[in-house]
Amino acid sequence: MITVVLSGLRARWASFLGGFLALALGVGLLTTMGLGLSATFHAPERSPQRFASSPVVVQGQDRLTLDVRRGPDTVPVSQRLDRPQPVDKELLRELRARWTVTTAGGPDAVGVDAPAAEVRALAGDRAQVLTGDERRRADPDPERDAQALVALNALLGTTGGVTAFVSVFVVASTFAFAVALRRREFGLLRTAGATPGQVRRMLLAEATALGVLASATGCALGALGAPLLARTLVDGGLAPEWFTVGGAVWPFHLAFWTGLTVALAGAVAASRRAGKVGPTAALREADVDTDVLPLGRALLGTGLLLTGLGLLAWTGVTEPSELLKRKTYTTLPMLLIGGVALLSPLLVRPVARLLRLRGAVGTLVRENSAASVRRTAAVAAPVLVTVALAGTLFGSAASVTRTRAVEAREQTAAQYVASGEDLRPVTAGVPAGAVLSPTASTSLFVRDGAEAVVKYGARAVADPAAFAELARLPLVAGDLRDLDDRSIVVNEEFERHRVGETVEVWRADGSGPVRLRVVAVLALGTGDNGPYVTRANAPGALLDRIEARGGGAATARALEASGGTVRTADAWAAADHPASSPQTRLGLILVLGIALVYSVIGLANTLLMATSVRGGELASLRLAGATRAQILRVVTGEAALATAIGTLLGLAVTAVVLGTLGAGLASLSAPVALALPWATVGAAAAVCATVAVAASALPAWRLSR
């Protein structure tokens, strides 16, 4: 058996080359992503900077801690405040009376040259006492390193998931099509006395050998590619400058065994079908496509398709806001893509027959594509994956961003907006009739039942009357004009969201609780609708936006005194919600690039194999009077038609996903501003078409001589 397997691998190395490259690339990418992912689990240990020379740091409380219910018991839950509280003045006097106290950078912390135990005894629960590496918590933005890794962790995890999904798909498709082309060989083996079990074991042995070699090669490539990935992420602004990959071992184990499992999984279904081929059936069906959709594939494809549609519908009905998150519009479409790709043999023949191609060449292209369902579906499937990923990923991201920009513009009647950090109030030079509404960013903490504490990003209103005049928020109930220091505007996400109800909140500095009356309720929208309070309930909040209407250019000149950037409202909405940030676009390109590379490998391998075994068919066409140019047009036309079918199926998946997203936005009372990235989808389809035509034309040119 081993001799047969090795000789078979040597004799048919060209047909295994595509699967080897796809698997090696997949394992290499998984290794690279795993090494990068392992480096995101822990931020670097930085030494204290602000109070580096002080052995002890006394800092005001920087967290709000409340008791919540967990089953029959209560446990404390903490939420980080926007900024630490100032050190208690009485405590500060006591510290200075006994030891040397160092101040630097603000009233929230001081350095103390004293024994830590004595400082803790004096401070009690009035402040935090930090020693050793914990002194970093007093540095500006102490969690910046960990926060910088959150988005990177999500990106690498998503990319690894897409890599695994596409590699399984391409490798399984390659094995299935290679087995379909070897039916004559299996028939001869069965005639020579081979049992179905021996045929299956032979294919599994080939897959094992291929999997081991490709996985080992991929691990080596991954080790070389990980430092390059780190440099690319840093240069693209996706990772902080200090980011480097570590020496973790688990990514190599995970990638190697995943690669071997993928190879065996791709071969299992194909080996079962090969074992069922009898000598006579193999010879009789060698040039006829029958049973192109086995029961197992049909059940799996139907299950994936129904699961994907069901989850999309369920999410759109129960939690439509989840549709706006990258995790959702990255993972859920994969179920639809997998289901449609598995069921593609059912769709190929009807779609091909619908086309009306002119002339003898066109007729041959249409009929050959409809008759050779297995070949056409094998070519269309990787195109479907690439086009669908391009449409759903780029389309969903662009649609969400565009919707937020439109929503932001629709929610204000302002003509000009000044934005920036720590704006100065504008009082001088404001023309008569102009209305200015300054607001600030703040946070509110609210109990969600008895089980959780939720931190909401809120807006603090400086002038409630001007705010009510300029705001065009999606009101469900109530009146914005009723907002004052004892009230709040909430959205439908709040547990208490009826006008007149009372909400218990804690302010951004941890003070509270205060009980505020609900005077207006907003639709949820894309997530930026409320809550709103007055500045009396936002201690320490700094102005970051001033909206203005009336007064013309004189108002714009007056806003310049705020120290912020003054734009028209349209320009502000576009700048505050750009089409996509360079970092987001680079991340999406990375995911799509992986899918495109796999599609190129799958297309080239499938068409090289398929066209290489059509020597007899092409010779018959020459004997029937077809010229060499006509034969090339037939072969390349079939490849182009299969690519077009894959593109149409990918666009269908994109339409379902974006349609569900649009329905979800409508249910959130947000504007529906869907965007289909035609340029990206067109470029992906064009690359696939170019590769497909070239991979089919080269062997056809050689065989038609």
Side-chain angles (χ1 to χ4, degrees):
M1 176 65 73
I2 296 178
T3 303
V4 173
V5 170
L6 293 178
S7 62
L9 288 174
R10 285 195 300 268
R12 289 182 300 275
W13 65 269
S15 63
F16 288 109
L17 181 60
F20 176 86
L21 291 176
L23 191 57
L25 177 63
V27 172
L29 287 172
L30 284 176
T31 303
T32 299
M33 299 303 163
L35 289 171
L37 198 61
S38 67
T40 66
F41 293 153
H42 303 287
E45 296 292 335
R46 293 178 179 267
S47 58
Q49 299 176 1
R50 182 178 172 188
F51 295 103
S53 60
S54 299
V56 177
V57 173
V58 176
Q59 184 181 38
Q61 298 294 342
D62 63 349
R63 294 180 183 274
L64 173 67
T65 302
L66 299 175
D67 290 333
V68 299
R69 186 173 297 280
R70 290 288 188 271
D73 303 321
T74 59
V75 296
V77 173
S78 296
Q79 290 278 8
R80 189 172 183 83
L81 302 176
D82 285 2
R83 63 191 65 82
Q85 298 173 346
V87 178
D88 180 76
K89 293 182 179 179
E90 181 62 29
L91 173 61
L92 190 57
R93 281 196 295 269
E94 294 175 11
L95 292 171
R96 285 174 171 162
R98 298 181 60 179
W99 301 294
T100 301
V101 174
T102 303
T103 59
D108 61 297
V110 294
V112 182
D113 189 3
E118 296 182 20
V119 175
R120 285 195 179 94
L122 178 64
D125 59 358
R126 293 182 291 175
Q128 303 176 89
V129 178
L130 310 176
T131 59
D133 291 339
E134 284 191 343
R135 292 175 296 163
R136 293 195 306 269
R137 292 171 54 184
D139 292 342
D141 196 9
E143 295 185 356
R144 63 187 182 279
D145 290 337
Q147 292 172 351
L149 297 178
V150 172
L152 181 60
N153 182 283
L155 170 64
L156 294 178
T158 301
T159 306
V162 172
T163 300
F165 168 75
V166 181
S167 63
V168 169
F169 186 84
V170 172
V171 172
S173 177
T174 299
F175 269 100
F177 191 67
V179 168
L181 294 179
R182 295 170 63 185
R183 282 174 293 179
R184 289 186 184 271
E185 175 190 343
F186 300 145
L188 292 174
L189 287 173
R190 294 296 309 280
T191 303
T195 65
Q198 288 176 321
V199 173
R200 287 194 294 268
R201 287 195 295 273
M202 181 186 72
L203 286 175
L204 291 176
E206 290 176 351
T208 302
L210 180 69
V212 170
L213 292 174
S215 297
T217 303
C219 287
L221 292 175
L224 296 175
L228 179 61
L229 173 68
R231 288 197 298 271
T232 301
L233 293 174
V234 171
D235 294 341
L238 292 172
E241 293 183 358
W242 46 260
F243 180 75
T244 57
V245 295
V249 177
W250 66 262
F252 292 96
H253 286 283
L254 178 64
F256 180 87
W257 295 111
T258 299
L260 185 57
T261 302
V262 166
L264 291 175
V268 165
S271 66
R272 288 180 178 175
R273 296 186 64 235
K276 295 177 181 179
V277 174
T280 305
L283 295 176
R284 184 174 67 246
E285 296 181 4
D287 295 315
V288 179
D289 274 352
T290 60
D291 188 27
V292 294
L293 190 65
L295 180 61
R297 176 170 179 166
L299 292 177
L300 180 59
T302 303
L304 286 175
L305 184 60
L306 292 178
T307 301
L309 291 173
L311 287 176
L312 274 177
W314 176 262
T315 305
V317 171
T318 60
E319 292 287 343
S321 59
E322 290 294 317
L323 295 173
L324 311 184
K325 298 180 180 180
R326 187 182 304 175
K327 177 182 66 176
T328 302
Y329 63 70
T330 300
T331 55
L332 286 187
M334 290 186 187
L335 297 174
L336 294 179
I337 294 169
V340 173
L342 288 173
L343 297 176
S344 60
L346 285 180
L347 307 173
V348 163
R349 186 169 285 146
V351 174
R353 290 275 165 77
L354 285 175
L355 299 176
R356 293 291 180 263
L357 302 178
R358 297 179 180 179
V361 171
T363 301
L364 276 174
V365 168
R366 184 182 69 243
E367 296 303 322
N368 283 349
S369 298
S372 302
V373 173
R374 191 173 283 116
R375 180 179 68 231
T376 307
V379 175
V383 181
L384 156 67
V385 172
T386 303
V387 171
L389 283 177
T392 55
L393 289 179
F394 283 81
S396 297
S399 297
V400 170
T401 306
R402 178 183 293 183
T403 295
R404 284 176 172 156
V406 173
E407 182 183 56
R409 182 62 188 94
E410 290 181 351
Q411 289 183 357
T412 179
Q415 295 173 307
Y416 302 98
V417 177
S419 58
E421 297 182 0
D422 194 11
L423 301 182
R424 295 184 294 272
V426 177
T427 55
V430 180
V435 179
L436 272 63
S437 174
T439 59
S441 176
T442 187
S443 296
L444 295 175
F445 302 90
V446 182
R447 287 187 183 274
D448 187 5
E451 293 79 23
V453 177
V454 180
K455 181 179 181 179
Y456 287 97
R459 300 294 302 174
V461 177
D463 186 342
F467 167 73
E469 184 173 349
L470 295 186
R472 297 295 183 267
L473 300 175
L475 274 176
V476 175
D479 194 332
L480 296 178
R481 292 174 294 183
D482 294 334
L483 179 65
D484 56 27
D485 293 346
R486 297 183 301 277
S487 61
I488 184 174
V489 176
V490 302
N491 58 46
E492 293 177 306
E493 189 177 19
F494 273 62
E495 182 183 19
R496 293 177 173 267
H497 57 268
R498 291 187 178 90
V499 174
E501 289 186 324
T502 301
V503 178
E504 190 175 67
V505 303
W506 284 259
R507 303 183 182 99
D509 64 349
S511 60
V514 294
R515 299 175 63 84
L516 302 177
R517 181 173 53 88
V518 176
V519 295
V521 181
L522 307 177
L524 188 58
T526 61
D528 293 333
N529 293 342
Y532 290 84
V533 294
T534 62
R535 293 195 71 183
N537 290 306
L542 304 176
L543 292 180
D544 59 7
R545 187 193 308 168
I546 303 176
E547 301 173 17
R549 187 183 68 181
T555 300
R557 289 192 295 270
L559 287 176
E560 293 176 356
S562 67
T565 302
V566 180
R567 305 183 182 93
T568 63
D570 291 335
W572 163 77
D576 203 49
H577 301 83
S580 62
S581 66
Q583 292 80 8
T584 299
R585 189 167 184 83
L586 180 60
L588 294 177
I589 290 174
L590 179 63
V591 174
L592 180 61
I594 292 172
L596 189 59
V597 169
Y598 271 111
S599 294
V600 167
I601 293 174
L603 285 171
N605 188 59
T606 298
L607 286 167
L608 286 173
M609 286 192 300
T611 309
S612 297
V613 299
R614 298 177 67 182
E617 176 189 344
L618 301 183
S620 298
L621 289 175
R622 290 299 301 271
L623 292 174
T627 65
R628 192 178 190 186
Q630 288 175 322
I631 291 176
L632 288 176
R633 287 202 297 272
V634 169
V635 174
T636 56
E638 293 172 10
L641 178 59
T643 303
I645 292 173
T647 301
L648 290 175
L649 295 177
L651 289 174
V653 173
T654 301
V656 171
V657 173
L658 293 184
T660 305
L661 176 60
L665 290 171
S667 68
L668 292 170
S669 300
V672 180
L674 300 180
L676 181 61
W678 291 108
T680 304
V681 171
V687 171
C688 292
T690 302
V691 172
V693 169
S696 61
L698 291 176
W701 176 268
R702 179 178 58 84
L703 293 173
S704 60
R705 286 184 297 182

